[in-house]
Amino acid sequence: MEAVQVRRAFKYRFYPTDAQAAELSRTFGCVRKVYNLALEARTQAWTLRQERVNYNATSAMLTAWKKTEELAYLGEVSSVPLQQALRHLQTAFTHFFARRAGYPRFKSRKKSRKSAEYTTSAFRFRAGELTLAKMTEPLEIVWSRPLPEGATPSTVTVSQDSAGRWYVSLLCEDPTVGPLAPTDAAVGVDAGLDHLLTLSTGEKISNPRHERRDRTRLARAQRYLARKAPGEGANRAKARRKVARIHARVADRRRDTLHKITTRLVRENQTIVIEDLTVRNLLKNGKLARAISDAAWSEFRSLLEYKAQWYGREVIAVDRWFPSSKLCSVCGTLRDKLPLHVRTWTCDCGTTHDRDVNAARNILAAGLAVSACGAGVRPQRSTPGGQSATKQEPPRREP
C-alpha cells in the first residue's frame, strides 16, 4: 500500500500574557460577530429574494462592514481569522445543501466554542516560536511533544475552552504516519456498560466510569453555582469555571483512555469489527443516558476509524439489528429470547457462553463474512446484511 501524506493537528496548551489574552478575546468576539452577520445576510437573501449568497459576496460585505462606524472595530483585529470564519460558513452551507448536516446556526457568546484560525500569512513560526498577527511577542507554548522533524504549520488555530484553558493547534504534514506491516489478526468488539469493551479473544476491558468518579465533586460545584445571583457577576463566573474544570477533567481522562485503547487495537489487528450502534437513539433511555454518554461509544468509533485509515487497517461495522447475543457462535442456533439479566447461557449443543464474549465472536464472524464477499459500499463502514426482524438489544442497566 502506498504511503499517503497525512495532515495532522498537534495541540498544545499555552499561557498568554494579559495583552495577548485581550487581543485573542477581541478576535474571538469579532469572529463570532462576522459569522453571525454573514449567516443573517445569507438567510435573509434566500428568504426574501430566493438568492444564494456565496463566500465572495460575504467577503465583499465584510469590507463594507469595516467601513461603517458601528462595525469599525472589526478592523482592529487580524483580517485572516475573519475571512476564515466566512470560509467555515461556506463549508457549513455546502454540507447543508449536500444533506450531510443541518442548517447553520448562529454562534452564542456563552455557549459557542471560542476559536480563531490563522493561515500562513497571519503568523510566524521560527525556531520553535509562534507569533500571531497583531502581536509583538511569541506565545508561551508548553511543547508536550515535538512536531515532526522539518514540519512547517500550514494553519494555526487558537482556542479557549469553558474552563479558561488556552490551546493552540498546529496543522502540518506528518511523514511518520503510514501503513503498518500487514497482519492476519482480526478482532470483534462488543460495546457495553459493565465492561467498556469485550473482545472476541475473551478479553474484557473495564469501564473506568470517569464521570461517576467525579460525580460528587460535580454536584457540589453545581449547587455552589446555583446559589449565585444570575447575571454577569464575577462570583458566578468563578463558580461556572469551577464546574467547567471538573467537566474538562472528566473529558480529558475519557479521551486519554479511548486513545490508548484504539491505538492498541489498530496496531495489533488488521481487521476490527464493531457494531453499528445508533447512540443518539440509545440516549433517549433516561435511565441509561448518563452511563452511555460516559462510555463515549461514538467517540471510540471515530478514533478507531481515522487511525485505521492512517495505518492501513480496516474497520467493519456490523448491522445494528444483527442478533449477536442470542446466536450461538459454535453451532449457529438462534435463541428466541435472552433477557438482559442472563449473562451466561448454555446452548442446545452443550456450549456454555459468556454473553458478551459470544456476541463479540459473532460480530467478528459476521464482519469477516461480509469482507470476504466484498460487500459494503463505504470503505470504512461496511455493513453486512440488511435489517433483520430481531430488534437491537438495549445495553444492560448500569449497576
Side-chain angles (χ1 to χ4, degrees):
M1 183 181 296
E2 296 183 0
V4 179
Q5 201 70 13
V6 174
R7 299 179 68 197
R8 187 177 180 183
F10 292 82
K11 189 175 182 179
Y12 304 94
R13 190 170 179 182
F14 74 97
Y15 297 87
T17 63
D18 292 341
Q20 290 173 340
E23 176 64 28
L24 290 173
S25 296
R26 284 195 298 269
T27 303
F28 294 158
C30 292
V31 166
R32 183 179 61 251
K33 182 66 173 180
V34 168
Y35 186 95
N36 290 341
L37 287 174
L39 176 56
E40 182 181 11
R42 295 181 69 147
T43 302
Q44 289 183 353
W46 177 257
T47 303
L48 301 178
R49 303 183 298 275
Q50 298 294 300
E51 175 187 349
R52 286 192 179 184
V53 178
N54 57 18
Y55 162 76
N56 293 330
T58 55
S59 180
M61 292 179 186
L62 175 59
T63 303
W65 292 335
K66 291 181 179 181
K67 297 178 180 179
T68 63
E69 182 179 355
E70 181 183 2
L71 299 175
Y73 61 87
L74 295 177
E76 299 175 2
V77 300
S78 174
S79 61
V80 173
L82 306 185
Q83 293 289 345
Q84 292 299 104
L86 298 180
R87 288 189 173 92
H88 294 164
L89 179 61
Q90 178 63 37
T91 302
F93 271 104
T94 300
H95 291 323
F96 168 71
F97 290 126
R99 298 184 179 181
R100 293 191 296 266
Y103 194 81
R105 293 182 293 182
F106 290 98
K107 291 184 179 294
S108 169
R109 183 172 64 88
K110 294 183 178 180
K111 297 181 180 180
S112 297
R113 177 172 178 260
K114 299 177 181 179
S115 66
E117 186 175 284
Y118 296 79
T119 57
T120 52
S121 61
F123 68 86
R124 183 175 67 252
F125 183 75
R126 294 177 182 173
E129 292 188 340
L130 177 67
T131 306
L132 302 178
K134 301 287 185 178
M135 296 184 184
T136 57
E137 299 179 359
L139 300 180
E140 184 184 345
I141 301 176
V142 179
W143 297 102
S144 53
R145 55 176 173 169
L147 288 174
E149 186 176 356
T152 302
S154 60
T155 303
V156 169
T157 302
V158 181
S159 60
Q160 184 185 26
D161 65 9
S162 56
R165 302 179 299 181
W166 296 85
Y167 291 98
V168 58
S169 179
L170 287 74
L171 182 66
C172 55
E173 293 185 351
D174 189 357
T176 63
V177 175
L180 298 173
T183 177
D184 295 332
V187 68
V189 181
D190 178 63
L193 295 179
D194 285 350
H195 295 88
L196 182 63
L197 300 173
T198 302
L199 308 184
S200 56
T201 58
E203 179 185 355
K204 294 186 176 182
I205 300 175
S206 61
N207 187 356
R209 292 186 171 88
H210 299 292
E211 185 272 337
R212 177 186 285 186
R213 289 170 57 185
D214 279 347
R215 189 173 295 177
T216 302
R217 291 180 57 207
L218 180 60
R220 188 183 299 116
Q222 288 174 329
R223 287 196 297 269
Y224 180 73
L225 173 61
R227 290 195 294 267
K228 299 303 176 183
E232 300 295 331
N235 287 338
R236 185 171 182 83
K238 181 180 178 180
R240 187 186 298 113
R241 283 194 299 271
K242 187 174 182 179
V243 173
R245 281 196 296 268
I246 298 175
H247 279 296
R249 171 186 170 89
V250 172
D252 289 345
R253 290 204 309 258
R254 181 188 299 123
R255 192 179 304 110
D256 179 69
T257 299
L258 293 179
H259 270 296
K260 291 176 180 177
I261 293 174
T262 52
T263 299
R264 176 199 154 194
L265 290 175
V266 168
R267 290 189 181 278
E268 295 179 354
N269 301 277
Q270 183 68 35
T271 303
I272 305 165
V273 187
I274 60 177
E275 286 185 288
D276 186 19
L277 297 175
T278 51
V279 179
R280 181 180 300 178
N281 291 339
L282 294 175
L283 288 176
K284 296 178 182 178
N285 185 331
K287 296 182 180 179
L288 295 174
R290 180 180 242 175
I292 294 173
S293 298
D294 193 25
W297 294 333
S298 294
E299 186 174 3
F300 165 76
R301 177 171 178 171
S302 298
L303 296 177
L304 193 65
E305 288 185 338
Y306 85 70
K307 290 180 182 181
Q309 186 176 8
W310 279 3
Y311 297 109
R313 304 307 200 195
E314 183 182 16
V315 175
I316 301 174
V318 174
D319 187 87
R320 64 181 65 105
W321 304 101
F322 179 67
S324 57
S325 297
K326 298 189 292 184
L327 187 67
C328 177
S329 58
V330 176
C331 67
T333 301
L334 180 63
R335 293 192 56 163
D336 294 333
K337 294 181 180 180
L338 191 64
L340 284 175
H341 68 273
V342 178
R343 307 315 297 174
T344 59
W345 58 281
T346 303
C347 180
D348 294 338
C349 67
T351 306
T352 300
H353 294 290
D354 178 284
R355 182 192 188 102
D356 298 330
V357 175
N358 177 66
R361 290 172 178 169
N362 285 324
I363 290 171
L364 173 61
L368 293 179
V370 169
S371 179
C373 296
V377 178
R378 300 177 65 182
Q380 287 300 115
R381 298 200 178 196
S382 304
T383 303
Q387 177 174 322
S388 70
T390 307
K391 293 184 178 180
Q392 179 180 357
E393 174 188 288
R396 185 186 181 193
R397 182 170 181 176
E398 185 183 26

